[in-house]
Amino acid sequence: MFTKDIYINRRNQLRSDLKTERKDFKSGLILLPGNQDVSYNYQKNTYRFRQDSNFLYFFGLNKPNFMGVLDLDSGEDWLFADDFDMDDIIWMGDMPKVSELGASVGVIHTAPMSELQNMIAKAVDEGRRVHFCDPYRGKTRHQISQLIGFRYSSLKNFASKKLIAAIVKQREIKADYEIAEIEKACDIAYEMHTTAMKMAKHVGTYEYQIAGRVEGIAMEHGGTVSFPVICSVNGQTLHNHYHGNKITEGRMLVLDAGAELDNCYSSDITRTVPVGGKFNDRQKAIYEIVLAANMKAIEMCKPGIKYRDVHLIACLTIAEGLKKLGLMKGDMLKAVEHGAHALFFPHGLGHVMGLDVHDMENLGEDFVGYDDETKRAKEFGTAYLRFGKKLKEGFVLTVEPGCYFIPQLIKQWHNEHKFSEYINYEEVLKYLDFGGVRIEDDILITKDGCRVLGKPVPKTVADVEALMAS
């Protein structure tokens, strides 16, 4: 938790961005729900609690069953929650009073949860707008629909686009103290990845042994992983959460993993390493194509550049590299323009990062990654680019190009003779057993360019092999 002045200033900025300039018009309320505990396999057995990031950003309290309200007209901030009773204390331990927690983040007005209904009902009766974001959890959706009186199924239609835009505007620019927290998470990820590299040298290890050690490192630092660990020799499956394979020589291990601190700031890094510690010629060739795309993309990133343009340069770099290997052919500029590269690189180059590992995407990807100037593409591959708009100083985002040989997709395109003017299927079919390569770093956009956050995780062929041999 930061100092209370930070949360006060954040709430005042949000209120300022939403408040109408018309003196004859009441602006209404902003409703910011916190998360509740989620049951694992029966009601009292819950997952590790994860607070809603908007609530955390504006109120700073990482505890369940809170609701925050900002009154746009009176300037008051409210916290609604119930104090612990003796039954709670017996099972969960003591907790400060809601009023004490409110004071710690600069909130004077607190009340039991039962009183929130009266405040919302009064606002609705007076014709005041209740601004809220479309909830991503069913319990919260039900809670808001009950409070405001909207049907559960139609709640999304009444979410405040003005509120969403104001939150994105505020949260997308990271303050220095936020960047410091993200760098802490990146440094933990360094330890996670270098440990995994050393473990991957040992042929016969199971993926779950590496994944478990990686997750344990995140927990050793007081937090957890920022998303379920991706650790697989079948790297052609982009989000592969199966960890049951024994790693064998000739395969490559993709580890996509990051740390989440106890305050929920996150990291997200990917490395791909050869099982046994040495790249063979085929692995090295594909790996260095992806590495070139990663480094060229990072070199391009600076304020004013559209991230979609950076993505397309990464696509072109991969396509040109594959052409040199004989896997693609023809004019690579046209190949990328038509989307032929997406057979090998079917996802976007990266996403913004911060309190959420995919920062603010619960608000809607298009609200976060696109704007009136930059619209999402519709073509296969580029359509998966989560973030395409112009970069600004203070943005934190991932750069994660990849090259994958997905047997089902290759066979489908081959049977359809799709992009046969650009793809040499006779050669590509020889790579059905290859897997995939992804290399991902977290970067901060600076005044004149960008910098990679955290202690550098080895990524050149020489550095990876040297680390694995250490």
Side-chain angles (χ1 to χ4, degrees), residues 45-101:
N45 189 26
T46 59
Y47 289 97
R48 176 189 173 106
F49 175 70
R50 177 52 159 89
Q51 184 60 281
D52 174 79
S53 293
N54 283 328
F55 183 88
L56 197 61
Y57 185 84
F58 292 106
F59 287 97
L61 300 176
N62 199 4
K63 299 182 184 300
N65 305 318
F66 276 80
M67 278 275 194
V69 174
L70 279 62
D71 192 314
L72 294 170
D73 303 302
S74 71
E76 295 174 344
D77 298 330
W78 285 81
L79 273 172
F80 292 87
D82 298 324
D83 286 323
F84 268 25
D85 59 21
M86 187 53 67
D87 285 345
D88 296 321
I89 292 169
I90 288 169
W91 291 102
M92 306 299 294
D94 200 5
M95 189 174 84
K97 299 284 188 184
V98 173
S99 58
E100 295 171 337
L101 290 169

Side-chain angles (χ1 to χ4, degrees), residues 333-346:
L333 277 172
K334 289 184 179 178
V336 170
E337 181 183 343
H338 294 150
H341 68 281
L343 176 65
F344 309 99
F345 182 20

Side-chain angles (χ1 to χ4, degrees), residues 12-53:
N12 286 339
Q13 182 63 54
L14 183 63
R15 195 182 344 262
S16 175
D17 287 344
L18 243 71
K19 191 171 181 179
T20 178
E21 298 300 322
R22 285 175 52 190
K23 294 181 179 179
D24 62 332
F25 183 80
K26 288 188 176 181
S27 299
L29 305 175
I30 297 174
L31 181 61
L32 293 170
N35 277 337
Q36 303 172 33
D37 281 319
V38 176
S39 298
Y40 183 73
N41 57 349
Y42 59 90
Q43 185 177 1
K44 295 295 185 180
N45 189 26
T46 59
Y47 289 97
R48 176 189 173 106
F49 175 70
R50 177 52 159 89
Q51 184 60 281
D52 174 79
S53 293

Side-chain angles (χ1 to χ4, degrees), residues 283-301 310-322 324 345 349 399-403 437-441 459-461:
Q283 290 171 342
K284 182 178 178 181
I286 298 297
Y287 185 90
E288 289 193 325
I289 290 169
V290 178
L291 180 61
N294 168 273
M295 296 177 73
K296 188 168 288 189
I298 291 172
E299 185 181 341
M300 275 190 70
C301 287
V310 182
H311 167 79
L312 292 173
I313 288 296
C315 296
L316 181 61
T317 302
I318 289 171
E320 288 175 340
L322 293 174
K324 287 179 182 178
F345 182 20
L349 182 63
V399 180
E400 48 181 307
C403 183
V437 174
R438 181 161 67 251
I439 304 172
E440 175 184 20
D441 292 303
K459 65 179 178 180
T460 66
V461 167

